[in-house]
Amino acid sequence: MPPHTLLVLVVVVMSAPQRTWGFAGVAASPKNLEALTPEGLKDESYEPPSWLRNGHLMTIYGAKRRIAPDFEYRRDLVRTPDGGTVSIDSQIDGERRLLVLLSGLGGGSQDSYVKCMALAAKKRGYGVAVVNMRGCAETEVTSPRFFSAYRGSVDDVKLAVSILKEKHRPDKVAALGWSNSASITINLVSEADASAILDAACALAAPLNMPASDAHLDQFFHRAVYDRNIASGLAEKFRQAQSLFVVDDDDDDQKEEHNDDA
C-alpha cells in the first residue's frame, strides 16, 4: 500500500455477550485466541528489508515479483436475494477451524498474496475459503450491483459465511480482509449479530478514511501508478457487465411508446 494510506491491523475476537478489540493481539482475549489457534496470537512486529522500506517500492515489488504458490480451490457459486452472484473458492478437508479470506479492491482468490495466506493458513490446520465479491475472480455479474465497503458487500459476506458454516460445521470461524475488504470486515464485526457469525476477525491495511485516501490518489504519481491500475481493472469489470447497468436509449423510447399506447 502507498505510505499515505492509513495502515491498520485490527484483531477482533468476539465472545457473546462481550466483544474484545485489540491491536496486534495485545488486548485480545488470550482464552479465545488459544481456542482459535494452537500457538495463540503472537505480539510481534514486522521489520522489512532495508532495501524495501519505501512504501511505494514495497507495493510495486510485491505486485510484480511475488510468486503465487500452487493452491487448488473448489468453486461454489452463491446466489444472493437480489439476483447477484458471489463465488466461494475453498480448500476444506475436515478442519475444525475455518479462515475466510477477503481480497483487496477488485481482487480475488488467484491473487498471489491471497494464495500465500491461504497456504500459510492451511499448513497451520485451517480450512480456507476465499469469498470473491461480485464481478471478481471471473465471477459473473448477474445483477446491477458490484461491491462496496459497506451495505451490500457486508450482506454478501454474511451470506457466504453462513453457507460455509452450515455446510462444513467448523468449531471456529475467523475472517481476514485486505484494503477495501478490510473495511468490509470492520463494518461486519460492528454489527449486532457479528458474534453469531465470526469468532475472530483481522483487518489489514484498512482505508479508514475513504475520502482522504481518494484525495491522495489525485496526486501525480499516485494517479499515474495506483489510480490508473485500479481504474483499468474496475473499468474492465464494468465493461463486461454494462448491459445490466446501462439502459439503451432505443429501449427507453420503445417503453415510452408502449406506455403511450397503453
Side-chain angles (χ1 to χ4, degrees), residues 7-23:
L7 301 182
V8 59
L9 166 60
V10 181
V11 176
V12 187
V13 178
M14 279 82 70
S15 58
Q18 185 176 352
R19 188 179 302 131
T20 303
W21 295 70
F23 289 88

Side-chain angles (χ1 to χ4, degrees), residues 36-37 71 73 88-92 95-102 113-131 161 164-165 168 170-178 185 198-204:
L36 188 66
T37 64
F71 196 86
Y73 300 105
I88 303 175
D89 290 337
S90 63
Q91 190 181 123
I92 304 172
E95 295 93 347
R96 303 315 307 156
R97 295 167 297 154
L98 174 63
L99 180 63
V100 178
L101 300 177
L102 307 167
Y113 66 92
V114 176
K115 280 192 166 184
C116 286
M117 184 65 75
L119 180 60
K122 191 71 176 179
K123 288 181 177 179
R124 288 163 174 78
Y126 285 87
V128 177
V130 184
V131 178
V161 172
L164 286 165
K165 292 177 71 172
H168 299 284
D171 296 330
K172 298 288 182 180
V173 180
L176 186 155
W178 288 268
T185 303
L198 297 173
D199 298 288
C202 180
L204 298 176

Side-chain angles (χ1 to χ4, degrees), residues 230-242:
I230 293 172
S232 62
L234 295 178
E236 180 59 29
K237 295 181 190 306
F238 179 78
R239 193 176 298 114
Q240 294 174 5
Q242 61 181 337

Side-chain angles (χ1 to χ4, degrees), residues 19-228:
R19 188 179 302 131
T20 303
W21 295 70
F23 289 88
V26 175
S29 164
K31 180 179 179 181
N32 285 332
L33 289 172
E34 288 171 5
L36 188 66
T37 64
E39 307 84 6
L41 185 63
K42 298 178 181 178
D43 179 23
E44 297 178 347
S45 60
Y46 169 71
E47 188 70 21
S50 58
W51 56 274
L52 204 59
R53 292 181 181 275
N54 178 272
H56 295 298
L57 180 60
M58 184 181 295
T59 299
I60 297 170
Y61 183 86
K64 300 298 184 183
R65 301 293 296 175
R66 185 191 294 112
I67 299 175
D70 291 330
F71 196 86
E72 299 296 327
Y73 300 105
R74 167 186 168 171
R75 169 156 292 195
D76 294 293
L77 299 178
V78 176
R79 184 57 63 94
T80 65
D82 69 332
T85 301
V86 176
S87 66
I88 303 175
D89 290 337
S90 63
Q91 190 181 123
I92 304 172
D93 301 299
E95 295 93 347
R96 303 315 307 156
R97 295 167 297 154
L98 174 63
L99 180 63
V100 178
L101 300 177
L102 307 167
S103 70
L105 182 67
S109 57
Q110 298 304 316
D111 289 338
S112 59
Y113 66 92
V114 176
K115 280 192 166 184
C116 286
M117 184 65 75
L119 180 60
K122 191 71 176 179
K123 288 181 177 179
R124 288 163 174 78
Y126 285 87
V128 177
V130 184
V131 178
N132 300 302
M133 301 300 175
R134 304 181 187 209
C136 297
E138 299 182 354
T139 304
E140 183 182 3
V141 179
T142 57
S143 68
R145 197 185 82 202
F146 276 126
F147 47 84
S148 66
Y150 187 48
R151 184 53 53 208
S153 292
V154 171
D155 290 339
D156 288 352
V157 173
K158 290 167 69 173
L159 176 61
V161 172
S162 68
I163 290 173
L164 286 165
K165 292 177 71 172
E166 182 178 356
K167 181 177 181 179
H168 299 284
R169 304 290 181 181
D171 296 330
K172 298 288 182 180
V173 180
L176 186 155
W178 288 268
S179 190
N180 186 65
S181 286
S183 296
I184 294 173
T185 303
I186 292 171
N187 285 324
L188 192 160
V189 300
S190 69
E191 297 193 351
D193 61 346
S195 59
I197 301 170
L198 297 173
D199 298 288
C202 180
L204 298 176
L208 299 180
N209 189 328
M210 290 282 192
S213 296
D214 183 65
H216 278 295
L217 288 175
D218 200 38
Q219 299 178 25
F220 175 76
F221 178 81
H222 303 152
R223 185 171 63 251
V225 178
Y226 304 117
D227 191 43
R228 181 179 179 182

